[in-house]
Amino acid sequence: MTDHPHGETGTPEGPHPEVWTGRATNRGQWLLALGGAACMALGIELAVDSAWTSGVAPLLMSVVGCIAAGLLVLFGTLAFVHVSVKVDQDCLEVRCGHIGVPRRRIPLSQVADAVFAPCVTPHQWGGWGYRWRPEKGTAVVVRRGEAVVLRLWDGHTFTITVDNAETAVRVIRARLTPKASDAAR
């Protein structure tokens, strides 16, 4: 008899935790965030120490433009520096960045299958971040590497780049199996 601490359940592949968590990080995006901070600093420097002789309007437009571009780049990149994935008994939850936004919660009852993808790249999805492509579905891509691909009952797919994606797929499939056998009856 096997002891399963903290509510773990055993399967032929091995024990699965009650709540599986995973994460993926892209340290390269910190450089982009640094670029955004530099744009903001330039805008502040222009506002504080301007020697522009052509008037207030061009100076104001430059300051506002630099600060706005800096904020967009800074917050846009910090939102996708990392992704956290949590799989519990009922759903899969994806949270991006330090504040967890954007967030997506997918009930496992909507998942038909989970597939391991050994190499997903930002190039395949048109860049980093929360992506949608009509022919491929939706994805959260924060780095190149392994991913979980969820095939939903409505025909859509949802891809998440996350470390240890193969284990996540096994955990999700183990939770789908009883529902699939109930549907077959």
Side-chain angles (χ1 to χ4, degrees):
M1 181 164 183
T2 307
D3 183 27
H4 299 290
H6 306 294
E8 292 179 350
T9 57
T11 66
E13 293 96 16
H16 294 297
E18 189 173 316
V19 176
W20 182 90
T21 58
R23 185 178 171 118
T25 303
N26 183 345
R27 291 186 184 99
Q29 286 189 294
W30 284 106
L31 293 173
L32 292 173
L34 200 59
C39 280
M40 285 181 45
L42 176 62
I44 293 168
E45 172 65 24
L46 286 172
V48 172
D49 188 29
S50 71
W52 286 35
T53 58
S54 57
V56 174
L59 174 63
L60 185 62
M61 289 172 44
S62 297
V63 169
V64 170
C66 285
I67 291 175
L71 284 172
L72 283 172
V73 171
L74 182 65
F75 290 119
T77 56
L78 288 180
F80 294 102
V81 167
H82 68 83
V83 64
S84 299
V85 178
K86 180 175 90 171
V87 180
D88 61 22
Q89 296 297 328
D90 301 321
C91 71
L92 175 135
E93 184 178 65
V94 179
R95 295 175 142 216
C96 301
H98 295 291
I99 59 174
V101 177
R103 175 187 336 194
R104 178 144 183 208
R105 189 173 170 92
I106 301 173
L108 293 179
S109 61
Q110 294 179 4
V111 178
D113 194 16
V115 179
F116 171 71
C119 187
V120 171
T121 65
H123 178 71
Q124 293 169 326
W125 286 93
W128 288 313
Y130 201 100
R131 298 295 181 173
W132 175 77
R133 294 191 57 190
E135 71 280 5
K136 294 185 89 159
T138 307
V140 176
V141 180
V142 296
R143 54 114 175 104
R144 167 185 300 223
E146 60 186 302
V148 174
V149 180
L150 299 177
R151 296 202 172 117
L152 306 178
W153 286 112
D154 63 5
H156 293 99
T157 62
F158 187 70
T159 304
I160 313 119
T161 55
V162 64
D163 295 335
N164 205 5
E166 204 164 8
T167 302
V169 167
R170 281 196 301 270
V171 168
I172 293 167
R173 282 183 174 171
R175 295 189 177 151
L176 296 179
T177 305
K179 293 177 180 138
S181 65
D182 290 342
R185 289 182 199 171

